[in-house]
Amino acid sequence: MTFGFSPPSTTSLTTATGGASRHGRLLEPSEWTASGVPLLRNPREVVSELHSRHSPAPSTAVIAVLGPEERIVASASFVQRATAADGWEYRNALLSRLRRVIPHDLRRRTPVRTAVLLYCRDGDERWTEEDGAWMWGLRDACTLHGLRCGAYITLTRGGWQVLGEGRGGRSPHSDSRPGRLGDTASEFSPLALRTGGGSAEALRRTAAR
C-alpha cells in the first residue's frame, strides 16, 4: 500500500505535531498497516450509515463500535477544535465518548467488538500528521476500553478513504448534507439489531441526540 503525504495546513499544526511525533503520540502509515487492523467487509455501508446518523462537517470525529456481524451497536460524534494534533488528547476525547455509549469489554480475554473512527476534515485523502495522531488515539482508546482497534476513515471533499486499505469512494463527502456541529451520542439497543425485518425501522427511529 502506498500512501501520499500532505503537509500540515498551518505553522502551529506543524510545530504541535512535531511535538506529538517526538513523544510518540502519532502513528506513521507503515506502523498503522503493520498493526494488523482488521479489514471492513463493507466499508461503504459503514461510512454511509455513520454519515446518515451524524452528518459530520469538517473537524467532526465519529467513533462507532461494531458488533461481531459488523453492525453498528453504538456511535458518538463530536467536534475536535484542538490547535495541536496530539494523540493523547484525541485518545482522551475518544475514550470519553466510548464510555458514554457502551460498557467496556476489559474482562474479556479477546475483544469481540471493534471500534472504527470516521474523521471529517479539510484537505485531500493523503495521510497527514493529524491523521497519525487520530490513529494513535484510536488504538490507545480501544486498548483502554477492551475493544479491537478497527479502521480509520477520512471524509473530505473528494469523498471517503479507509487509510491503509486503499478503498474509498466519492460519496458521501464532507460537503454532503452538512449537519449541525455539536456533541452527539447515540446508543442502539442490541435487541433491536436482532429483530429481523423490524430492525431497519428501529434503527431509523434511533436518532442522534
Side-chain angles (χ1 to χ4, degrees):
M1 174 64 192
T2 301
F3 290 86
F5 291 83
S6 178
S9 58
T10 64
T11 302
S12 61
L13 182 60
T14 302
T15 303
T17 52
S21 179
R22 286 195 298 272
H23 289 89
R25 295 197 292 238
L26 66 79
L27 293 177
E28 298 286 345
S30 58
E31 295 176 298
W32 180 256
T33 303
S35 65
V37 174
L39 300 179
L40 288 170
R41 291 197 301 269
N42 193 335
R44 184 183 301 276
E45 183 177 297
V46 172
V47 172
S48 296
E49 184 170 351
L50 290 178
H51 183 268
S52 176
R53 292 184 181 284
H54 297 278
S55 296
S59 299
T60 302
V62 182
I63 181 72
V65 179
L66 309 181
E69 300 300 319
E70 206 171 274
R71 293 182 178 177
I72 299 172
V73 297
S75 68
S77 65
F78 60 97
V79 176
Q80 187 70 24
R81 296 194 180 281
T83 57
D86 189 335
W88 183 81
E89 182 178 341
Y90 294 169
R91 184 276 307 274
N92 290 344
L94 292 170
L95 190 59
S96 172
R97 272 70 184 189
L98 285 171
R99 287 170 173 166
R100 293 182 193 181
V101 299
I102 200 162
H104 68 74
D105 277 347
L106 294 172
R107 293 184 178 87
R108 295 182 178 274
R109 289 187 177 182
T110 57
V112 297
R113 294 183 291 192
T114 303
V116 300
L117 177 61
L118 172 71
Y119 183 56
C120 183
R121 61 166 174 76
D122 294 320
D124 57 30
E125 73 281 359
R126 293 178 294 174
W127 182 91
T128 67
E129 289 189 346
E130 183 182 23
D131 294 325
W134 278 113
M135 290 170 168
W136 189 96
L138 175 62
R139 187 181 67 175
D140 216 45
C142 288
T143 298
L144 294 173
H145 208 64
L147 301 171
R148 181 187 297 108
C149 179
Y152 174 71
I153 307 161
T154 58
L155 189 69
T156 64
R157 287 185 177 182
W160 57 273
Q161 175 83 11
V162 184
L163 295 192
E165 294 188 18
R167 292 188 287 176
R170 294 183 179 180
S171 181
H173 51 79
S174 60
D175 290 334
S176 299
R177 299 172 54 198
R180 180 181 59 188
L181 295 177
D183 191 357
T184 303
S186 301
E187 274 191 82
F188 311 103
S189 167
L191 291 177
L193 293 174
R194 295 195 295 264
T195 54
S199 61
E201 182 62 30
L203 287 175
R204 282 195 293 269
R205 292 197 303 267
T206 307
R209 293 192 298 273

